[in-house]
Amino acid sequence: MWYAIISEDVDNSLERRKSARPDHLARLEHLRDAGRLLIAGPHPALDTEDPGEAGFTGSLVVADFASLDEAKAWADADPYVAAGVYCSVTVKPFKLALP
């Protein structure tokens, strides 16, 4: 089943994001390569593709996991969690309706 992982950043998270990004992306690429990643990306702090030093306010990942517990465990192990990028992470089932 699909699960949405909705994360909110701490204030001024950009430098933490930059340092943990390679490991964070590697995990997402693993899901993608396994055909289990629907979408993933950050929420820019400004209404623009490149918010520059304003950084990001959080992230969204929608991926396939066997259970809610597995999705939560995966989210808890994110390098951004370990680096203190996120102040909160919500994981909930997601039903793809379109396209």
Side-chain angles (χ1 to χ4, degrees):
M1 177 167 191
W2 295 112
Y3 292 91
I5 301 168
I6 306 144
S7 306
E8 297 292 326
D9 281 24
V10 299
D11 291 337
N12 303 310
S13 63
L14 187 58
E15 290 308 313
R16 293 177 189 185
R17 272 182 171 269
K18 287 179 181 178
S19 67
R21 189 169 190 264
D23 292 335
H24 172 78
L25 289 179
R27 296 178 80 237
L28 292 169
E29 290 165 352
H30 178 74
L31 287 177
R32 179 201 61 204
D33 294 348
R36 297 174 49 205
L37 183 64
L38 184 63
I39 58 171
H43 300 287
L46 302 175
D47 188 12
T48 180
E49 287 284 320
D50 181 2
E53 291 302 309
F56 302 91
T57 62
S59 300
L60 171 65
V61 173
V62 178
D64 181 35
F65 293 95
S67 68
L68 180 59
D69 287 340
E70 183 182 310
K72 286 181 177 180
W74 187 90
D76 288 345
D78 193 304
Y80 280 177
V81 171
V85 172
Y86 297 146
C87 62
S88 70
V89 178
T90 302
V91 181
K92 45 170 89 172
F94 177 80
K95 184 178 185 304
L96 180 63
L98 292 171

